[in-house]
Amino acid sequence: MIRISAVELRRVRLPLVHEFQTSSHAKKSLEHILVTLTSDDGTAGWGEIASPSGPFYSAETVESCWAVARDHLAPLVLDQEWDHPAALATAMAKVRGNQFARAGFDMAAWSLWSAARSTPLAQALGGTRREVEAGVSLGIEPTIDDLLAQVAARVGEGYRRVKLKIAPGWDTEPVRAVRSAFPSVPLHVDANGAYTPAHLPILKELDALGLLMIEQPYVPRALVDLAELQAGLQTPICLDESVEEVDDLITALRLGSGRILNIKVSRMGGLTPAVRAHDLAAEHGVPVWCGGMHEFGIGRAANVALSALPGFTLPSDVSGSDKYYARDVTTEPFVAHDGLVEVPSAAGLGREPDENFIVANTTGHLRR
Ligand code: OSB
Ligand code: MG
């Protein structure tokens, strides 16, 4: 049995190398919370709470995550004995919602558990790949020329597919421009819930552009409307914000609200539910890929390990660290070569936190 004797939370702020804008929010820097769980025998596990600062992607914020982590998750984890991360995740599921906050703790539990068993995290999760295919997610740019320059740079670096953020007013025109400049690049769009059934004519135009998928066209809970939309489109709908719980996926599969699933460790509350979503999607023949929240190296290690599972048959949003940060929180960054990211083969997370760099960028710290 494992017993956690210390929990540490650190808020760390890093500037993005390139400002990122979606239909729901814009950001120049990120503040994520690093979670360290230390067991009785001194083994440490690291996790990352990757919530955006404002409640525009999900209901969570850095402040809400900090409060829930400090007042609910840390005491709960210090009180438990567990033999597998799934057992701790079951205990933490007493906390409703707050997936980003729970994900940081669940990730740290998996990291600790796999390190204690001298097993690479990917293998502990059931991963089978040695490298994963990386796609890139491009924000809304000031002009179409700026967007084309971004696409050219990323395609030049070898990324396997390009995802474009869209919003009403920034959709068919930029997508057509990218499509005609890069006719053979696998392309998909992500609306972050910005459209409604009233926008059907635009969605039909996008449907004719040969996209891999249209990600989250409607608001998260519009599962019935999404099913109606999917029935009238050739292009698969990919669900992101709609699936916060495995039960949301059960509903979406029953209704036919989409044909592809973006699994985000953060959005679903950790690696434990992410693996369950992967297994359920696989049973239904639904391809999955791993989405990102601009994670630092700790959360990125979890994303890369998860992407090694067999159902992740589409390129994931696991770009190299350099696409986001001049310097990462791990001593070794993640690197994409020819659109592939190597799955760490060392025990545990496979990346070491760069403690000096973390301390230098810490904006808040607590130990329990
Ligand atoms: O919808 O996938 C999204 C970033 C912030 C909020 C929402 C999303 C994203 C991304 C980032 O697309 C992808 C990445 O981490 O590379
Ligand atoms: Mg998305």
Side-chain angles (χ1 to χ4, degrees):
M1 287 302 234
I2 296 175
R3 212 183 66 87
I4 300 297
S5 50
V7 177
E8 274 190 90
L9 302 175
R10 287 189 189 81
R11 291 166 76 132
V12 177
R13 179 185 285 280
L14 293 185
L16 280 169
V17 293
H18 189 75
E19 180 173 350
F20 191 79
Q21 189 179 338
T22 73
S23 67
S24 57
H25 61 297
K27 53 192 180 184
K28 289 191 164 116
S29 71
L30 284 89
E31 195 177 21
H32 288 176
I33 301 169
L34 299 180
V35 179
T36 318
L37 301 180
T38 308
S39 65
D40 273 345
D41 72 357
T43 311
W46 287 72
E48 178 174 336
I49 300 177
S51 175
S53 28
F56 309 115
Y57 168 79
S58 83
E60 293 179 84
T61 69
V62 180
E63 291 298 338
S64 76
C65 289
W66 184 259
V68 168
R70 179 193 59 207
D71 298 341
H72 301 285
L73 296 171
L76 196 153
V77 158
L78 286 166
D79 219 32
Q80 297 291 320
E81 285 200 32
W82 47 280
D83 56 357
H84 187 276
L88 187 65
T90 300
M92 287 195 293
K94 260 173 73 170
V95 172
R96 295 252 168 96
N98 296 285
Q99 279 83 355
F100 279 77
R102 280 193 277 140
F105 282 73
D106 178 78
M107 234 181 265
W110 276 99
S111 150
L112 191 162
W113 188 76
S114 53
R117 296 164 64 101
S118 305
T119 306
L121 175 61
Q123 192 185 318
L125 294 169
T128 50
R129 290 172 218 280
R130 295 174 54 188
E131 49 195 14
V132 301
E133 279 194 301
V136 76
S137 170
L138 301 180
I140 293 170
E141 290 288 332
T143 68
I144 289 182
D145 280 346
D146 291 319
L147 179 65
L148 290 171
Q150 282 292 317
V151 178
R154 300 311 164 202
V155 169
E157 288 166 5
Y159 283 102
R160 302 281 169 114
R161 76 73 183 120
V162 172
K163 146 169 152 182
L164 306 175
K165 292 289 181 180
I166 57 166
W170 178 266
D171 43 40
T172 51
E173 210 187 328
V175 176
R176 277 208 180 89
V178 172
R179 180 79 296 170
S180 67
F182 304 90
S184 61
V185 171
L187 206 59
H188 98 241
V189 295
D190 185 1
N192 290 103
Y195 294 80
T196 70
H199 294 105
L200 192 61
I202 293 171
L203 296 166
K204 286 280 196 189
E205 272 187 65
L206 291 170
D207 193 31
L209 298 179
L211 302 170
L212 279 180
M213 64 191 96
I214 300 176
E215 185 175 342
Q216 201 67 48
Y218 295 166
V219 290
R221 290 194 170 150
L223 290 171
V224 171
D225 283 340
L226 283 162
E228 241 163 62
L229 177 64
Q230 180 67 90
L233 294 182
Q234 298 287 318
T235 313
I237 290 175
C238 171
L239 299 177
D240 178 357
E241 287 92 326
S242 286
V243 179
E244 291 192 341
E245 310 264 353
V246 174
D247 287 297
D248 296 329
L249 178 58
I250 293 172
T251 308
L253 289 169
R254 192 70 70 85
L255 291 171
S257 312
R259 296 192 188 134
I260 295 178
L261 177 64
N262 165 347
I263 298 183
K264 279 186 189 168
V265 177
S266 295
R267 187 198 70 226
M268 297 209 65
L271 288 161
T272 305
V275 170
R276 287 195 190 122
H278 160 274
D279 295 349
L280 184 64
E283 276 171 39
H284 287 79
V286 168
V288 304
W289 55 281
C290 178
M293 293 303 298
H294 297 158
E295 283 83 356
F296 301 165
I298 303 290
R300 188 160 307 280
N303 290 348
V304 170
L306 181 72
S307 304
L309 269 69
F312 285 78
T313 53
L314 293 163
S316 290
D317 276 345
V318 288
S319 311
S321 306
D322 66 331
K323 209 216 110 203
Y324 313 92
Y325 308 106
R327 184 169 163 188
D328 207 337
V329 302
T330 49
T331 54
E332 194 190 334
F334 279 92
V335 184
H337 280 302
D338 193 25
L340 294 172
V341 173
E342 205 179 304
V343 179
S345 54
L349 214 48
R351 282 294 184 279
E352 294 302 324
D354 183 341
E355 307 229 18
N356 290 333
F357 183 66
I358 290 172
V359 167
N361 292 282
T362 292
T363 56
H365 180 216
L366 74 78
R367 191 180 163 90
R368 290 283 187 273

